[in-house]
Amino acid sequence: MIEKPKGTKDVLPQDSYKWHKIEEDIRRLARVYQLQEIRTPCFEHTELFLRGVGDTTDIVNKEMYTFDDRGGRSITLKPEGTASVARCFVEYNLQQNCLPMRTYYITPVFRYERPQAGRLREHHQFGVEVYGSETAEADAEVISIARALFDGLGIHPTLYINSIGCPTCRARYHEALVEYFRGNEGDMCETCKTRLGTNPLRILDCKNDRCGKIAAGAPSILDYLCEDCQIHFDKLKHALEVRGIAYTVNPTIVRGLDYYTRTVFEFVCEKIGAKSTVCGGGRYNHLIESIGGKPCPAVGFGMGLERLLMTLEAVGVTIENRELPTVYIASMGQEDVCAALVQSLRNAGVAALGDIMQRGLKAQMKYADKIGARYTIVVGESEVAEQKVQVKDMREGKQFTLAFDEIVGFMQENA
Ligand code: ATP
Ligand code: MG
């Protein structure tokens, strides 16, 4: 038997309604917050991620699905969503349109990781990107979109915010970090030892327990912010408060990608265990330049949809299945009448089902119950003769009579 590749997940027919619900919520929010969708390919030139994500990140160093295509080009399956959006921004000169550009995507993401609960090799992200604004208000607005999605679903992950400054203040902070970590180098993991020379900030994001303990005592970036970055961070806090969004400042949040500047944030749901970050994002003012565009500030986030579903499950939020059939028409020797009735219901936009298995009445009713039909109607000789049917409301356990020509109208109203 051929099984799915390690680290992938199938969405089976009986579960896809959960994905639809989340995707519908996202599209509704996108309309309200005026974000336009962007769709980009599943693969890009490897170069884009080397420049856009950064060659000191785990994603680029260890996790990319990279291969040469038949034309000898180096291709990489998207390991995150932002770089492709930035590429479009530059390639189509979207800067000339009106700024800010407010966009979102839902995309598969591929990372060669060690699979475990909440950590897949193919997962899906809802991402938001706003280009063109430097302000902390833009950051707060982006954060408010994630919060609104969570609120709507009835979950309340904790929002952690931090500022990782600009290249100027980060240079001073790097020095302090290197000095601190040099004193603890013996206890750090091998990867972090190399990070010390390449990107010491990344050590704060290490998943290794020992490194985590050492990182907890490291100097805080917040003590090293330059005046402008400090003001920006204070404004962010204010902008969140004005919007009624609770937050916790957490100076150890640095994010796994190289392109961040100033604001970084994560939404964490402690209830789903170690892999508890549902959404992560921040500001990336230098990304556009790093892939060859004219400098343009940007802010955004990526939200893991599998982790979002895990979180809903963990906190006991069930998603109602709104895709169940409205009515099942059971036939008692009246196949043609039933088929015509089912057809006219469907023509009127009602989710209707009838028998296509040549089953007896009992088996049809069992099936109607199993698939969760709201109403059932049995059509036999006497119903046809009297032009009247008994409608059974499966939810309320009630029964009532409808004339044949009332069925479609009733089902339309009660769909
Ligand atoms: P983590 O710290 O958990 O590795 P990350 O910093 O790599 O996350 P991002 O690159 O910011 O995560 O991706 C945004 C979101 O996508 C994460 O917050 C998480 O919800 C989700 N995500 C990331 N990697 C995976 C994965 N391998 N499987 C499932 N979801 C993931
Ligand atoms: Mg990761």
Side-chain angles (χ1 to χ4, degrees):
M1 190 183 52
I2 300 172
E3 293 178 357
K4 63 179 182 293
K6 205 171 155 186
T8 62
K9 236 183 171 152
D10 298 303
V11 178
L12 298 178
Q14 64 266 26
D15 292 321
S16 52
Y17 73 92
K18 297 175 190 166
W19 283 84
H20 296 165
K21 154 76 175 157
I22 291 191
E23 287 160 6
E24 278 161 24
D25 281 11
I26 288 171
R27 296 197 198 283
R28 199 171 328 114
L29 270 185
R31 168 99 180 87
V32 170
Y33 282 81
Q34 280 297 291
L35 308 165
Q36 290 165 317
E37 187 182 9
I38 183 165
R39 299 191 188 192
T40 60
C42 280
F43 58 86
E44 295 273 2
H45 293 293
T46 302
E47 176 78 13
L48 174 67
F49 303 114
L50 297 184
R51 288 210 265 153
V53 179
D55 49 17
T56 68
T57 60
D58 279 359
I59 291 182
V60 167
N61 285 325
K62 303 196 286 203
E63 299 174 357
M64 292 205 305
Y65 278 89
T66 299
F67 58 94
D68 285 346
D69 72 5
R70 286 168 197 272
R73 304 167 196 90
S74 181
I75 292 293
T76 294
L77 303 185
K78 232 186 229 182
E80 54 95 61
T82 295
S84 300
V85 180
R87 176 188 56 71
C88 284
F89 194 75
V90 176
E91 184 169 341
Y92 300 98
N93 197 13
L94 298 180
Q95 220 146 347
Q96 74 191 353
N97 298 357
C98 77
L99 293 179
M101 178 178 91
R102 310 162 62 94
T103 184
Y104 80 101
Y105 56 80
I106 298 175
T107 185
V109 167
F110 306 89
R111 296 182 187 178
Y112 194 77
E113 303 211 64
R114 202 162 57 79
Q116 46 190 298
R119 197 171 283 293
L120 298 159
R121 289 185 175 171
E122 182 195 30
H123 73 277
H124 296 79
Q125 286 189 11
F126 159 46
V128 166
E129 317 258 337
V130 173
Y131 285 80
S133 173
E134 299 252 20
T135 67
E137 285 71 26
D139 302 3
E141 189 158 319
V142 164
I143 290 172
S144 73
I145 297 165
R147 176 98 281 164
L149 184 67
F150 296 137
D151 284 347
L153 289 166
I155 55 171
H156 308 285
T158 308
L159 167 64
Y160 292 106
I161 60 167
N162 189 26
S163 172
I164 58 168
C166 61
T168 317
C169 37
R170 218 177 312 158
R172 287 200 304 137
Y173 180 56
H174 272 193
E175 276 171 36
L177 270 187
V178 170
E179 193 179 308
Y180 171 80
F181 284 122
R182 284 258 181 261
N184 294 279
E185 205 174 340
D187 292 328
M188 290 179 348
C189 75
E190 291 308 310
T191 318
C192 280
K193 282 178 190 160
T194 53
R195 283 171 176 149
L196 203 42
T198 53
N199 192 343
L201 202 63
R202 195 82 329 116
I203 302 174
L204 299 177
D205 200 33
C206 185
K207 307 278 186 300
N208 181 303
D209 282 347
R210 269 181 311 154
C211 297
K213 285 206 184 84
I214 298 169
S220 165
I221 175 75
L222 297 177
D223 295 329
Y224 290 82
L225 294 183
C226 66
E227 200 185 343
D228 286 349
C229 287
Q230 184 62 55
I231 292 171
H232 195 273
F233 193 47
D234 290 340
K235 282 188 176 162
L236 170 66
K237 291 186 261 184
H238 178 75
L240 289 171
E241 282 152 24
V242 168
R243 288 164 178 77
I245 298 171
Y247 62 84
T248 303
V249 174
N250 179 347
T252 68
I253 302 255
V254 292
R255 309 289 309 126
L257 314 174
D258 274 355
Y259 49 57
Y260 286 100
T261 43
R262 292 190 169 162
T263 306
V264 288
F265 61 88
E266 287 187 358
F267 281 92
V268 177
C269 184
E270 270 82 15
K271 292 205 178 77
I272 61 169
K275 305 296 155 288
S276 52
T277 304
V278 190
C279 172
R283 173 164 283 288
Y284 25 91
N285 288 350
H286 302 291
L287 172 63
I288 295 290
E289 297 161 62
S290 73
I291 62 162
K294 275 182 282 177
C296 182
V299 54
F301 67 69
M303 185 185 296
L305 296 184
E306 283 83 357
R307 279 200 209 165
L308 179 61
L309 283 163
M310 263 176 71
T311 305
L312 292 173
E313 214 154 274
V315 302
V317 173
T318 50
I319 295 176
E320 188 197 340
N321 187 349
R322 293 170 192 264
E323 298 176 18
L324 299 176
T326 301
V327 58
Y328 184 89
I329 310 294
S331 166
M332 236 176 15
Q334 295 294 329
E335 286 72 27
D336 291 350
V337 178
C338 287
L341 180 54
V342 168
Q343 190 60 53
S344 49
L345 282 160
R346 288 173 177 170
N347 290 347
V350 176
L353 277 177
D355 178 53
I356 49 169
M357 299 278 286
Q358 297 193 314
R359 282 178 171 139
L361 183 63
K362 211 169 143 204
Q364 289 185 58
M365 295 311 280
K366 208 167 145 191
Y367 175 74
D369 190 42
K370 217 179 212 169
I371 59 174
R374 172 73 202 271
Y375 300 99
T376 55
I377 293 174
V378 180
V379 182
E381 214 173 318
S382 60
E383 281 79 10
V384 175
E386 290 169 33
Q387 287 293 295
K388 269 197 314 218
V389 294
Q390 288 296 306
V391 182
K392 195 165 165 195
D393 182 334
M394 305 291 275
R395 194 189 300 160
E396 308 289 333
K398 287 187 305 205
Q399 203 150 309
F400 52 91
T401 308
L402 280 183
F404 243 87
D405 58 9
E406 292 171 336
I407 297 175
V408 172
F410 175 87
M411 293 302 162
Q412 261 182 320
E413 262 167 50
N414 293 277

